[in-house]
């Protein structure tokens, strides 16, 4: 695709960036060098933090106005300056085209996305936590207002949806699709250690498992996982991103907790094939995450995305193998992949496509609540304990993620993972027990209310009237 011809720049697209962390700062920085995109509005927990992000992206101090009210924000915009604010409410009346929601906070993401859509803005969502709970509802709310709610390139869901839909367009049979975990497992053979995310772990016996023996690949990979059991091999962000892909594409997990194997890049199509062909999968169109094991001098796959497709023509794929493409040992399937994601640096492609071309980087109308990201206890949790979301990866102590078929909220239903922050446990929870609504009292949040609206929309008797009533009640 020729991107210069794809975008007919009739206007400069104006973006507002909410959440000026790594992703948001990438958008702010990249917009500075683009002719077709401006990002003059930044929001963070305080206006001062937003101003700092603008300075970091190269905006001169003299052009930044720290705004504590709607009036100050309007004045800054009219003067042609950059707006640094601490709340979306202070900037929602400004005439920008699209909100980049990258706060990473599930509740804030829901409130900001809804408010932006109701104010007539498009929304590019990087807060995957919000999307995992109410993405289908916000997609429909956007459509009702002739706007788009879309994931963005730079995050794995958008990039993987792009690969999956590319393969479907070409008629490939998709066996598996997914991503590598965020941090490679880098083997220091001399030291006998594996480095992951800045931490070194002993790896006794890994040398014997570096090459997979013919015919015993599954057993060797299982042994690898045990040798490296001290390293987390699945994370909440990984599964959160995959549930958003599932709801957009219809692909689903082979196991609720995923296989999450430790694999070298060239081993992926061999193991992520059907059991009958020597792999671990029980069917086609499975979503998966793997942990990339490599030497320091081998190319990284950290956070990259891939698809595994069936090789229908042996001659063609033999030719491609000779050119360096990665086939399974059997020659029955091959991996096609993007071994990178560039965070906010490539998100502007999706922003321009949404505003100028009316195209989403996600599933659009196909996005429905097919699966939920849920939680299972890894330890005993007593009644009275409050569940807290912590850290950069938005984890909750004592819980591990799983993906299950979506269900409306009810006492026996598993609770979406990111409705649980701030919830109070109302009865003792045993280790290995899934968390249901009967186990917790959820906080009264806008995200919870939006999920209830989603349940009524997709599980009620009259989906169209339910959406209309819910939107009208919000406007009232």
């Amino acid at each position: 695709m020729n991107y210069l011809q794809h975008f007919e720049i009739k206007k400069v697209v104006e973006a507002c960036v909410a959440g000026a962390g790594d992703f948001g700062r990438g958008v702010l920085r990249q917009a500075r060098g683009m002719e077709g995109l401006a990002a003059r509005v930044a929001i963070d927990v305080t206006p001062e933090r937003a101003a700092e992000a603008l300075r970091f992206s190269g905006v001169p101090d003299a052009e930044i106005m720290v705004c504590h009210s709607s009036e100050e924000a309007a004045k800054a915009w009219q003067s042609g300056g950059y707006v640094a604010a601490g709340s979306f409410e202070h900037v929602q009346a400004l005439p920008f085209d699209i909100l980049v929601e990258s706060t990473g906070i599930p509740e804030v993401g829901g409130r900001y996305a809804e408010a932006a859509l109701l104010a007539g803005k498009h929304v590019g969502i990087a807060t995957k936590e919000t999307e995992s709970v109410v993405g289908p509802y916000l997609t429909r709310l956007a459509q009702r207002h002739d706007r788009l709610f879309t994931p963005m390139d730079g995050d794995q869901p958008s990039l993987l949806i792009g690969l999956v839909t590319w393969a479907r367009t070409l008629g490939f049979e998709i066996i598996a699709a997914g991503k590598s975990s965020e941090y490679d497992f880098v083997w220091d053979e001399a030291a006998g250690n594996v480095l992951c995310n800045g931490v070194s772990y002993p790896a006794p016996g890994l040398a014997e498992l570096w090459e997979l023996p013919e015919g015993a690949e599954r057993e060797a990979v299982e042994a690898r996982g045990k040798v490296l059991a001290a390293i987390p091999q699945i994370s909440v962000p990984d599964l959160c991103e995959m549930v958003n892909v599932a709801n957009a594409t219809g692909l689903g997990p082979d196991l609720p907790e995923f296989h999450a194997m430790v694999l070298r890049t060239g081993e992926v199509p061999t193991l992520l094939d059907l059991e009958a062909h020597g792999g671990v999968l029980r069917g086609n169109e499975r979503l998966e995450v793997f942990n990339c094991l490599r030497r320091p001098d081998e190319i990284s796959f950290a956070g990259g995305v891939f698809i595994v497709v069936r090789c229908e023509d042996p001659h063609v794929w033999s030719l491609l193998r000779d050119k360096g493409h990665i086939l399974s040992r059997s020659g029955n399937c091959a991996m096609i992949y993007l071994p990178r994601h560039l965070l906010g640096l490539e998100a502007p492609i999706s922003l321009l496509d949404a505003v100028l071309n009316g195209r989403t980087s996600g599933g659009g109308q196909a996005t429905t609540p097919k699966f939920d990201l849920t939680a299972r206890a890894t330890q005993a949790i007593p009644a009275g304990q409050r569940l807290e979301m912590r850290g950069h990866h938005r984890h909750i102590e004592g819980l591990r993620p799983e993906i299950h078929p979506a269900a409306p909220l009810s006492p026996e239903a598993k609770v979406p993972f990111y409705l649980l922050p701030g919830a109070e446990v109302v009865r003792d929870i045993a280790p290995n027990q899934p968390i249901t609504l009967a186990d917790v009292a959820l906080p009264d949040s806008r995200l919870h209310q939006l999920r209830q609206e989603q349940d009524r929309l997709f599980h009620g008797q009259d989906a169209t009237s339910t959406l209309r009533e819910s939107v009208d009640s919000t406007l009232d």
Side-chain angles (χ1 to χ4, degrees), residues 9-32:
I9 307 295
K10 297 179 180 179
K11 57 171 282 185
V12 174
V13 172
E14 296 279 359
C16 166
V17 176
D22 292 339
F23 193 99
R25 284 187 175 188
V27 175
L28 294 172
R29 166 65 68 179
Q30 206 65 21
R32 296 278 295 165

Side-chain angles (χ1 to χ4, degrees), residues 123-451:
V123 174
I125 188 75
T127 302
K128 54 186 172 289
E129 298 85 355
T130 297
E131 190 179 3
S132 73
V133 180
V134 294
Y137 176 77
L138 292 171
T139 299
R140 294 304 192 280
L141 180 63
Q143 290 170 347
R144 176 166 172 77
H145 288 268
D146 196 27
R147 291 295 178 266
L148 290 176
F149 175 85
T150 178
M152 294 174 286
D153 286 0
D155 253 6
Q156 290 95 333
S158 174
L159 296 172
L160 185 53
I161 291 166
L163 262 183
V164 168
T165 54
W166 171 87
R168 285 174 167 169
T169 300
L170 290 171
F172 283 112
E173 177 186 343
I174 298 174
I175 302 166
K179 59 166 287 190
S180 165
S181 57
E182 292 294 320
Y183 304 103
D184 291 339
F185 290 17
V186 183
W187 186 38
D188 183 339
E189 186 174 5
N193 293 332
V194 167
L195 183 70
C196 182
N197 193 22
V199 180
S200 185
Y201 299 86
L206 184 58
E208 290 73 30
L209 298 168
W210 185 254
E211 299 287 347
L212 301 183
E214 194 82 36
E217 292 89 352
R218 287 179 292 202
E219 294 79 4
V221 168
E222 183 179 357
R224 246 189 221 162
K226 292 177 180 177
V227 166
L228 301 173
I231 311 177
Q233 294 177 20
I234 197 67
S235 71
V236 186
D238 289 335
L239 264 63
C240 185
E241 289 171 340
M242 291 301 96
V243 82
N244 294 337
V245 174
N247 287 334
T249 65
L251 275 67
D254 203 55
L255 299 173
E257 67 277 18
F258 284 44
H259 292 281
M261 294 175 289
V262 179
L263 300 174
R264 298 172 65 193
T265 298
E267 298 166 351
V268 171
T270 296
L271 275 297
L272 291 183
D273 196 356
L274 302 182
E275 291 176 334
H277 295 295
V280 301
L281 303 179
R282 295 174 291 186
N284 280 352
E285 299 210 329
R286 299 297 203 248
L287 282 174
E288 193 52 68
V289 173
F290 81 98
N291 300 285
C292 178
L293 177 65
R294 65 176 177 87
R295 289 191 173 101
D297 61 345
E298 293 180 318
I299 294 174
S300 172
F301 207 132
V305 297
F306 68 89
I307 54 174
V308 177
V309 301
R310 183 67 64 211
C311 298
E312 300 287 358
D313 186 326
H315 172 74
V316 169
W317 283 104
S318 177
L319 175 67
L320 291 171
R321 185 201 290 273
D322 292 342
K323 292 180 177 291
H325 292 272
I326 300 175
L327 273 65
S328 64
R329 283 185 171 177
S330 68
N332 286 317
C333 61
M335 178 172 72
I336 302 165
Y337 63 103
L338 295 173
R340 54 90 179 132
H341 70 295
L342 300 179
L343 297 173
L345 301 183
E346 60 181 327
I349 291 292
S350 297
L351 303 180
L352 295 180
D353 222 12
V355 177
L356 298 178
N357 298 331
R359 293 180 180 143
T360 177
S361 296
Q365 189 70 26
T367 301
T368 58
K370 304 173 184 72
F371 293 91
D372 276 326
L373 179 71
T374 65
R376 187 177 296 273
T378 59
Q379 62 192 41
I381 305 176
Q385 181 171 322
R386 194 167 296 277
L387 302 176
E388 297 182 17
M389 183 176 69
R390 295 176 178 170
H392 173 71
H393 292 304
R394 307 291 190 255
H395 72 280
I396 300 175
E397 190 69 30
L399 301 183
R400 69 174 171 86
E402 294 182 349
I403 293 180
H404 289 275
L409 296 176
S410 67
E412 66 277 5
K414 299 176 182 69
V415 182
F417 194 99
Y418 284 111
L419 283 182
L420 290 171
E424 182 182 353
V425 177
V426 297
R427 64 183 185 185
D428 291 346
I429 297 174
N432 205 40
Q433 178 180 323
I435 311 303
T436 68
L437 192 57
D439 298 317
V440 295
L442 298 180
D444 183 18
S445 68
R446 186 59 189 153
L447 188 65
H448 185 189
Q449 294 166 1
L450 291 174
R451 176 53 188 244

